[in-house]
Each structure stands twice: as C-alpha cells, then as structure tokens.
Amino acid sequence: MIEIGLAVLGLPKDRVLEDPYVGFSSQIPLMKESIDEQGQVLMVTAPEKLRLFNPQSFAAKKPTGVKRIFCVGGSTTFGRPFDDATSYSGYLRKLLPETGSSNQWEVINAGGVSYASYRVASVMEELVQFEPDIFIVYSAHNEFLERRTYAGLIETPRWKLAIDAALRKTRTFAVLQDAVDEVRGRDDSPIEMLPGEVDERLNHTVGPVDYVRDDAWTADVLRHYRSNLERMISIARHADAAIVFVEPSCNEKDCAPFKSDDDHFERGTGFFEQGLFDEASDEFLAAIDRDICSLRATSAIREIVREVSSENGVPLVRFNDLLHTMCETEYGHSCLGNEYFLDHVHPTVDVHGKFARQIIETLVRSGQVDGTVPDTTATARVDAAIRGAIDVDDQAIAFRNLAKVLHWAGKFSEAQRSAEDALRLRPSDPESLFVLADCLTQQGRPNEAIERYEQLFEVAEYERAILPFAFVLADAGHLETAKFYATLATASEKLRTREAALDLLVSIHLSLGEDQLAAEAGTHLSD
C-alpha cells in the first residue's frame, strides 16, 4: 500500500540510489568547463584525467537536432593500446552520419583505462547533466583489478542480501534511505571508501604471482557487478536516456592465464593442434574462468550482462557472438585469438570497426537510430579514412608499451608479439629491441636473443641492455664477447648492476682459466 501511495504521489521507481558497497574518498570531475575562441562554453576532459581518459570536448548546452552518445567503460572503450581515433567510439563518430538519420550525432568517448563497473557508474552520474541521449556501456574486464574487502557482505547471509537487493528497487526503500541519510549524515556511511582514482592490486605486488584464489571474494565481486549494471540502468533512465550494454569478448586461444593452478589452457592448446576445436574451446573458456589473476571477463560476468539486459529490457550488443560467428566462418573454428585481439582483451582496429557497425545495427533495431545500417561502400570509406589518419610513430609506441606491460606480467610470448608489432613500424626502436631480446631469452631462445641484442647495439648504446646481453652471451658460450660486455657493465652507476657484472666477470674469468683476473674481479666485488 505504501508503494502504491508513493507511486500515486509521483515518486519514480527508478530513482538513482548510491552504490551500497563502495564509495570514493575524493573525486576529480571528468569534464571541466572551458571557453573556446568564439566564446562558446565547452566541456573538456580535465587535465588531471588525461592519464586514463581520451581528450574530448563538446558544447555545454547540446545544440538543437543533435543526439549525444556517451561511450563508457574500460580500456577497450578508451581504445587501448591506441586511442579514441581507432576505437569503436571513433568509428561510431564516422559511421553514424552514413545512416541517413535525421539527427546529427555527437559521440563522446568516456572510457577510462582500468575502470571497473563501480567507477563507470560514477562517471555516468556525472555525465547525465550533459543531456545524454544514449549510453553505450562496455564494462566487464576490470572487475577484479582493485581490492575491495566486502567485509559486511562476507558476514551477511545470502538470503538477506537477496532481499536487500530487491528492496533497493522500490520507492519505499528510497524514501527510508533518504530519511536515514538525513539523520545520520551522508558522510557517515559505513560503506568501504576507495581512492578517487584507480588503484590496481597489481601496483602493490611483484606481479600476478602474488594473487591467490578467493572464491568468496569472487562471489561478492559478481554480486557487486550485477548491482552496478542495475544502477547504470537507473542512472540512464532517470535522465531520460537510453542505455545499451555490450556482451564482452576476449582472446581465448592465444592468451594464457595470468596465473593458473591447473592445465586447462595447455589442454586447450593440445586439442586445438589436433583439430578438436569444440574440446579446445571448452578448455580455453575454463582457463579464463579459473585464472587466479582474472583480467578477462569470465563466463559468470557474461551471463550477468545477458541476464540484467533481458530482465530490464536493455538492448544488448552481442559482440562475443559476432566474433565467434566471424571466427567460425573465416577459420572453421570458434576459438578467438590473435586474429581479432592485440592482447588479452583489446581488439584490433579492424574489429573495432566491425564492432561499431554492430552497435549501429543494435541501435537501429531498438529504434534509437532512425536511419539504416551503413552499406559496405560507406563502411569501407570510413575505414580507409580512419586508417589513413593513423600516426605510425604513435602506434609503434603503443605496441611497445603493451609489450612492456606483458613482459612485466611474465607473458613473454605475448610480449614478443607486441614488440615485433612495434618494430615493424619502427625497426630501430631501442626499447622494443630490448624487450624483444629479453622475451626471447626468457623463452630459452638465446641465439635469436643474441641477434636482437646485436641489432640493438648497432643503433644505440642502450645501457640497460649491457648486462643482460653479457649474461646471454656467457650462457651461450661466447665468453670473450661476454667478458667485454660484463666489463662495460661494471661502470654502471647502479650498485646492484656493478655487483652483478663483477660476479659474472669472476665466473667468466674462471671458465677461461684466467685465475688472476678472476681474483682481481673478486677483490673489487668484496670492496
């Protein structure tokens, strides 16, 4: 009866509620006001946010006849390892005018690198003040990046959590919550407070090896994720904006788990090599679900996206289905890999283009775009324009940075691929050559590593590579050359490098029967 009475009074059912699990200690707005040369008021990406967001700008007051789309999510939305220009947002910006729609379109890329759903929802809460028409949400791969304790959840029975989730969707709960906040004060909330900006767990460890399996915490993360998707729907609808979710997809066959305690991935690789593709697919997906350092959307995450979309009448872009259908058609199997992804989750430029076209198909089908899906000629024209504007040096640097991250994570075969991609664009880039050489070393391929080190030292005096090269040479039996580089490394300003170089010199001298030189190097080492 209370619920009916509140409805009669006009209180909307879709009121925006605060995140019941986490808050933020401080937040810098994503967009800030600026005045252009014509005196127009613009909203531009805040300088403090440019480390994690693309620079974007749009009129503070939306022009007449314009439909404004905000693309929100994580690094795939951002366009990593590149940027907005080659992202699905960039393609949408170019493709939407080809639909023949009666509207003009603005597409704003508000994807934040490493942003999980609770941060994406917070971004949406800010963006609703800028007259959005559509939110496109691709938020799925970062749910396990930041540590949250969920202490209250762990102690709360599951049946109570279910009842609480149902109550939070009612008008009655909203009114009671407002009353409690008024008495207690909103700053007195018992929810966990996270830092204002992303603080990845990996920043506080030596890498994925520090992760341990925690099934209870994982279950709480999934509950929080579902809650955040429902909040996003509420945020959009409260602003009279449409919302579209994206079904996540990722690299299955060419990306090993970041940390694993089983052999699903190895079995999948074996099945794949035998042509047993269905069995391989099952194992690859199990490897993703069992990854202890989970940086790809699991099957549970995908299922939640589907369920929340279906239960709330939200259009779903079936991106994962699209890629599996493409893979089956083009390669005769459905195991997604390097053909479609540059790393574990980030699509190729070509896939971003196909993804954008699929988004438009979904928008046309749901009535959000009154035109038609661009034909192949228009799509090819847009693709050529986007590719023609790519800065080769910037793209090479992006591949190099990706290689460095994968190398740090111990994924040497994948880091090797990214370093090679960088070198195809900038063949003499010292840092890419160094990363590639070390990847080859770590994979037990010393002769190939030596070739890359030699290529590196032909183009630059790269100090960081001197000692590693000496070790590879020594291990491969090239002792005289190794002695030369080890001696060079003893001049390093870094104490640890000098000590390691002297220790290697002692070993080399002894192997060459140079006992007196070994003793002298040992003396310097003891000093």
Side-chain angles (χ1 to χ4, degrees), residues 77-131:
T77 300
F78 177 97
R80 278 291 177 97
F82 311 126
D83 57 22
D84 169 67
T86 54
S87 71
Y88 71 82
S89 301
Y91 269 94
L92 278 176
R93 202 174 291 120
K94 301 285 189 181
L95 281 171
L96 280 166
E98 302 288 345
T99 62
S101 169
S102 60
N103 298 106
Q104 293 178 295
W105 295 92
E106 282 185 351
V107 179
I108 294 101
N109 187 332
V113 175
S114 297
Y115 264 48
S117 59
Y118 45 88
R119 293 191 183 274
V120 173
S122 180
V123 168
M124 286 180 62
E125 286 181 320
E126 176 187 343
L127 296 178
V128 291
Q129 65 185 296
F130 304 122
E131 306 174 87

Side-chain angles (χ1 to χ4, degrees), residues 298-331:
T298 61
S299 57
I301 291 281
R302 287 197 304 276
E303 186 59 30
I304 289 171
V305 176
R306 295 191 197 104
E307 288 176 359
V308 172
S309 297
S310 176
E311 291 166 4
N312 294 276
V314 172
L316 179 66
V317 180
R318 296 190 175 276
F319 181 43
N320 195 47
D321 287 352
L322 168 71
L323 292 189
H324 279 99
T325 300
M326 285 171 53
C327 192
E328 192 73 56
T329 301
E330 295 170 358
Y331 298 100

Side-chain angles (χ1 to χ4, degrees), residues 36-347:
D36 68 9
E37 295 177 353
Q38 287 74 43
Q40 182 183 21
V41 181
L42 300 178
M43 302 307 301
V44 300
T45 307
E48 301 89 340
K49 291 287 191 177
L50 290 175
R51 183 175 65 88
L52 300 176
F53 289 84
N54 283 287
Q56 301 282 280
S57 67
F58 53 88
K61 181 171 178 55
K62 186 173 65 176
T64 303
V66 166
K67 273 204 167 187
R68 183 169 281 173
I69 297 178
F70 285 106
C71 299
V72 297
S75 55
T76 298
T77 300
F78 177 97
R80 278 291 177 97
F82 311 126
D83 57 22
D84 169 67
T86 54
S87 71
Y88 71 82
S89 301
Y91 269 94
L92 278 176
R93 202 174 291 120
K94 301 285 189 181
L95 281 171
L96 280 166
E98 302 288 345
T99 62
S101 169
S102 60
N103 298 106
Q104 293 178 295
W105 295 92
E106 282 185 351
V107 179
I108 294 101
N109 187 332
V113 175
S114 297
Y115 264 48
S117 59
Y118 45 88
R119 293 191 183 274
V120 173
S122 180
V123 168
M124 286 180 62
E125 286 181 320
E126 176 187 343
L127 296 178
V128 291
Q129 65 185 296
F130 304 122
E131 306 174 87
D133 291 290
I134 304 172
F135 283 104
I136 297 171
V137 181
Y138 188 2
S139 180
H141 295 300
N142 298 324
E143 297 308 304
F144 302 95
L145 266 183
E146 292 185 273
R147 184 70 190 180
R148 288 92 71 203
T149 61
Y150 297 119
L153 280 179
I154 292 171
E155 299 161 3
T156 305
R158 300 300 180 220
W159 62 267
K160 186 176 179 182
L161 290 171
I163 292 174
D164 180 72
L167 287 174
R168 283 180 175 276
K169 298 178 182 180
T170 66
R171 299 173 178 88
T172 307
F173 184 93
V175 171
L176 292 174
Q177 185 67 58
D178 282 347
V180 170
D181 286 343
E182 202 59 42
V183 172
R184 186 181 62 197
R186 291 186 181 273
D187 294 336
D188 242 357
S189 173
I191 63 176
E192 181 178 3
M193 300 304 290
L194 298 179
E197 205 47 274
V198 175
D199 184 22
E200 300 174 9
R201 291 175 65 188
L202 288 168
N203 290 338
H204 302 282
T205 70
V206 297
V209 293
D210 273 7
Y211 274 59
V212 294
R213 191 174 302 286
D214 187 340
D215 292 335
W217 183 73
T218 297
D220 290 330
V221 168
L222 294 175
R223 264 187 295 278
H224 191 194
Y225 179 65
R226 180 185 292 273
S227 171
N228 288 323
L229 294 187
E230 291 171 344
R231 282 188 67 235
M232 291 178 197
I233 296 170
S234 177
I235 290 166
R237 289 178 175 171
H238 192 66
D240 293 324
I243 185 169
V244 176
F245 285 142
V246 174
E247 175 192 41
S249 191
C250 64
N251 191 328
E252 300 163 359
K253 75 175 174 66
D254 293 317
C255 178
F258 286 82
K259 182 180 180 182
S260 178
D261 58 2
D262 55 52
D263 57 357
H264 286 297
F265 185 78
E266 290 73 17
R267 287 206 299 269
T269 301
F271 282 136
F272 187 84
E273 290 172 349
Q274 297 172 58
L276 301 173
F277 300 133
D278 290 342
E279 292 84 348
S281 179
D282 290 343
E283 293 295 339
F284 288 140
L285 295 178
I288 293 171
D289 287 344
R290 295 289 296 169
D291 195 340
I292 297 171
C293 179
S294 185
L295 303 180
R296 291 174 286 180
T298 61
S299 57
I301 291 281
R302 287 197 304 276
E303 186 59 30
I304 289 171
V305 176
R306 295 191 197 104
E307 288 176 359
V308 172
S309 297
S310 176
E311 291 166 4
N312 294 276
V314 172
L316 179 66
V317 180
R318 296 190 175 276
F319 181 43
N320 195 47
D321 287 352
L322 168 71
L323 292 189
H324 279 99
T325 300
M326 285 171 53
C327 192
E328 192 73 56
T329 301
E330 295 170 358
Y331 298 100
H333 62 79
S334 62
C335 302
L336 301 179
N338 290 343
E339 300 85 359
Y340 305 104
F341 292 92
L342 296 170
D343 55 14
H344 59 304
V345 295
H346 299 118

